[in-house]
Amino acid sequence: MAKIRSTTVVGIYHNGEVCVGADGQATMDKHIAKSNVKKIRKLLDGKIVTGFAGSTADAFTLLERFEEKLNAYQSNMKRAAIELAKDWRKDQYLRKLEAMMVVANKEELLIISGTGDVLEPDNQIAAIGSGSMFAHAAALALKKHAPHLTAEEMVRESLNIAADICIYTNHNLVIEKPAK
């Protein structure tokens, strides 16, 4: 069975603004299976933006669980992420899920990993997926050498650079900011 690979998701916190974006490509073996996959979702009336990488079914399972935790912990994103990670480590079914998420609200940015970790990313840049290292490197350079850009502009340019050099990333971008 050919493995579906896809996704470059990048989130950036810069100058008091958070933005998360993703490309739209899903690749099966050596072929593009779909070019306009939507990997970004908004939760809690847009107050939280999530981007996912990995198996789509697994990602949606985690997304549903994360939303349940947000509701259980009064929309406290970090607490919900930690509680999801605890469940992920304990639950035999969840441990088999192959997905990662970037989650952001207007104040913070987190990575929830496939091993049940919650990471506050260095340099306020979160990147996951097949093209994540390309997008991450581009975002670091933009933060250092083009600090006048907005978080949204940095996300867009990071994803475009990744799409230029990564065969698993395309230029069909979805970019979102959390609601105020």
Side-chain angles (χ1 to χ4, degrees):
M1 184 75 145
K3 185 174 182 176
I4 294 180
R5 297 183 59 139
S6 63
T7 309
T8 301
V9 177
V10 65
I12 297 174
Y13 184 90
H14 181 68
N15 290 338
E17 177 186 55
V18 179
C19 192
V20 179
D23 76 309
Q25 183 166 304
T27 309
M28 187 179 301
D29 194 26
K30 298 175 187 165
H31 308 282
I32 296 170
K34 189 167 172 71
S35 64
N36 61 348
V37 178
K38 188 173 184 229
K39 304 166 193 169
I40 301 293
R41 297 286 187 272
K42 288 185 164 188
L43 304 174
L44 298 178
D45 298 321
K47 292 180 183 142
I48 294 182
V49 176
T50 66
F52 60 84
S55 162
T56 303
D58 290 355
F60 277 109
T61 299
L62 290 173
L63 194 60
E64 288 171 6
R65 295 281 183 114
F66 182 59
E67 193 164 25
E68 288 170 10
K69 296 296 182 187
L70 284 167
N71 291 327
Y73 293 100
Q74 294 78 41
S75 305
N76 182 325
M77 187 179 78
K78 190 179 284 185
R79 177 75 189 272
I82 290 167
E83 294 302 322
L84 174 63
K86 285 180 185 177
D87 287 355
W88 202 337
R89 286 178 181 257
K90 289 184 212 170
D91 188 289
Q92 201 168 28
Y93 169 72
L94 286 179
R95 271 188 278 167
K96 294 179 183 176
L97 298 181
E98 295 180 10
M100 294 180 75
M101 294 191 322
V102 170
V103 297
N105 61 22
K106 63 182 178 168
E107 292 133 9
E108 59 189 343
L109 183 64
L110 301 170
I111 297 172
I112 305 174
S113 80
T115 56
D117 293 314
V118 177
L119 307 169
E120 291 180 279
D122 291 338
N123 304 304
Q124 299 175 319
I125 300 168
I128 59 173
S130 303
S132 63
M133 291 302 106
F134 301 112
H136 190 264
L140 282 170
L142 290 168
K143 279 193 110 175
K144 183 175 181 178
H145 298 290
H148 62 281
L149 295 176
T150 66
E152 183 174 353
E153 291 168 328
M154 288 181 178
V155 165
R156 184 176 312 285
E157 191 58 27
S158 296
L159 287 167
N160 279 320
I161 289 169
D164 287 343
I165 54 180
C166 176
I167 64 169
Y168 299 109
T169 306
N170 70 14
H171 290 278
N172 292 341
L173 308 180
V174 174
I175 298 172
E176 297 284 355
K177 291 190 266 187
K180 302 274 182 208

